[in-house]
Amino acid sequence: MATMISWQMVERNKPLVRVEAPIPEPGPGEVVIKVAGCGVCHTDLGFFYDNVPMKSEMPITLGHEISGTIEATGPGTEEWSGCAAIIPAVMPCGECADCKEGRGNICMKQKMPGNDIQGGFASHILVPAKQLCKVPVDENMNPVSKTDITLEELSVVADAITTPYQAIIEAKLNETDIAVFNGVGGVGGYGALLAKSFGAAVVAIDVDQPKLDNLAPFMDATFNAREMSFKDLRKAVYGVAKETGRSRTHLKIFETSGTAAGQKTAFGLMTFGSHLSVVGFTLDTLDLRLSNLMAFNATARGNWGCIPEYYRPVVDLILDGKMPLKQFVKTFPLDSINDVFENAHQRKYNQRPIMVP
């Protein structure tokens, strides 16, 4: 019997355990995917280190940024045989009232790998086929692209890139706007790169200078919040709007740090007509004067993951070379996952780690 390898969390803050088990048989509407790559996300670290609540009990295989090839199909999914695909980090049912209204993010029957079901830090994964995003590949299973991007590197599309993409779409970002990304270590960095592809002027803010340096060639401005007072930071951000010919009333702020301090900074940057997108997650709370939204006639909203409909446009952006990706990811063998988790937790990487079986 064919077997698969997975690295399971059996207890929080304890090393992930290597487990060998039979490859599951796909049922109706399901496929088994041979994992090409699985990105390490802040959410995985939150589950592992910070006691973030989960839908499933342990032991569980984490990982929700997954790409791979379909190795086995269940009844009704035969057309997926041999295809390459990205698994959405949030897979809505597609049938409920919310899904039919285009609000799959809040589908009560959604499945998230590494939370609702077993995840992608494994050699194989069993998932519903309904929401998969097909990746065009050649006879060697390499993505058909104007760049040299690989299928494993595309795994980060599944959350780190599509989540800020939906935030950008919902903010109605365009070339007349200035986009401010607060926290650019992962999701925020990809969001800032996406915003440039939309023609906006983009400002990156972080407290980690190497991360800012990594993004600087692509940004209109970068600011280290650790080295500036908030008053000076706000003045500098508003100054970029003027320097790039954008109005401050076209300020779109994306909170992607997932920290209370970052959320306070992002909210404080709001001004007349601005829009705040909350993308990063933290269990911490903070005091805010919500009346600022009324006084500034401003808006604020969040988004949990990204609906599958947006995945292919993001893949096409990358395959067409309109958004740089390769220099912002780094692959590691799956059996080094415990070291990678610890290094990522200590913020030692300037690139998104991708685990490769």
Side-chain angles (χ1 to χ4, degrees):
M1 179 178 292
T3 60
M4 60 175 280
I5 301 299
S6 62
W7 287 81
Q8 296 186 350
M9 180 173 72
V10 297
E11 187 177 349
R12 296 180 195 259
N13 268 297
K14 298 293 183 181
L16 300 174
V17 175
R18 184 183 186 275
V19 174
E20 186 170 349
I23 297 176
E25 290 288 332
E30 296 179 329
V31 296
V32 170
I33 292 182
K34 183 178 181 180
V35 175
C38 185
V40 177
C41 177
H42 176 78
T43 303
D44 296 313
L45 302 181
F47 289 148
F48 186 75
Y49 290 102
D50 301 328
N51 209 36
V52 173
M54 300 186 69
K55 298 288 185 63
S56 299
E57 294 183 356
M58 292 177 277
I60 186 168
T61 305
L62 299 174
H64 56 270
E65 293 183 348
I66 311 161
S67 62
T69 55
I70 287 74
E71 193 168 89
T73 59
T77 67
E78 291 82 3
E79 74 275 11
W80 282 98
S81 181
C83 293
I86 294 170
I87 304 172
V90 177
M91 292 180 283
C93 74
E95 300 296 333
C96 68
D98 287 322
C99 284
K100 290 179 179 179
E101 292 173 4
R103 303 197 300 165
N105 308 74
I106 59 172
C107 171
M108 293 296 103
K109 296 179 181 180
Q110 66 180 240
K111 302 297 183 185
M112 177 183 178
N115 188 6
D116 298 287
I117 61 176
Q118 297 297 320
F121 295 133
S123 61
H124 296 76
I125 181 173
L126 175 70
V127 295
K130 193 170 193 176
Q131 306 293 4
L132 295 177
C133 174
K134 187 176 291 187
V135 176
V137 292
D138 60 22
E139 63 277 7
N140 297 315
M141 301 306 290
N142 296 314
V144 178
S145 174
K146 294 179 181 178
T147 72
D148 59 348
I149 202 73
T150 65
L151 184 59
E152 55 259 41
E153 290 167 340
L154 283 175
S155 63
V156 298
V157 166
D159 186 15
I161 306 179
T162 45
T163 297
Y165 182 85
Q166 178 156 346
I168 285 170
I169 294 295
E170 292 177 343
K172 297 181 172 61
L173 187 75
N174 61 50
E175 68 277 359
T176 69
D177 296 328
I178 177 167
V180 179
F181 281 82
N182 189 58
V184 292
V187 168
Y190 295 120
L193 294 167
L194 278 170
K196 286 301 295 183
S197 76
F198 277 67
V202 185
V203 174
I205 300 173
D206 208 292
V207 295
D208 188 328
Q209 192 59 47
K211 288 183 173 61
L212 292 170
D213 293 341
N214 212 28
L215 274 177
F218 305 93
M219 300 292 99
D220 291 273
T222 61
F223 300 117
N224 190 323
R226 195 189 300 278
E227 298 176 355
M228 306 172 70
S229 68
F230 174 72
K231 183 178 179 180
D232 287 341
L233 177 63
R234 182 169 56 188
K235 183 179 179 180
V237 169
Y238 294 170
V240 174
K242 182 177 180 180
E243 292 165 7
T244 59
R246 272 77 170 182
S247 168
R248 278 167 47 182
T249 62
H250 284 249
L251 190 65
K252 306 289 176 67
I253 304 159
F254 299 86
E255 205 310 289
T256 44
S257 75
T259 66
Q263 291 177 351
K264 183 177 180 180
T265 295
F267 193 83
L269 289 173
M270 297 187 77
T271 185
F272 296 99
S274 55
H275 174 87
L276 172 63
S277 295
V278 180
V279 184
F281 176 80
T282 177
L283 289 174
D284 296 333
T285 60
L286 64 157
D287 292 327
L288 294 175
R289 189 174 64 192
L290 284 178
S291 294
N292 283 15
L293 295 175
M294 178 274 291
F296 290 144
N297 199 56
T299 58
R301 69 176 300 166
N303 61 286
W304 167 256
C306 176
I307 56 176
E309 291 88 333
Y310 290 147
Y311 272 61
R312 187 53 190 265
V314 174
V315 169
D316 288 343
L317 272 175
I318 296 168
L319 297 183
D320 289 342
K322 296 177 180 178
M323 176 190 161
L325 176 59
K326 199 172 190 73
Q327 61 264 54
F328 296 100
V329 296
K330 185 174 183 179
T331 59
F332 296 86
L334 181 58
D335 60 9
S336 65
I337 190 167
N338 283 308
D339 290 337
V340 172
F341 259 44
E342 184 58 27
N343 288 334
H345 184 54
Q346 298 297 328
R347 302 181 183 275
K348 293 183 179 180
Y349 299 128
N350 289 327
Q351 299 157 301
R352 188 75 154 194
I354 296 172
M355 308 313 302
V356 177

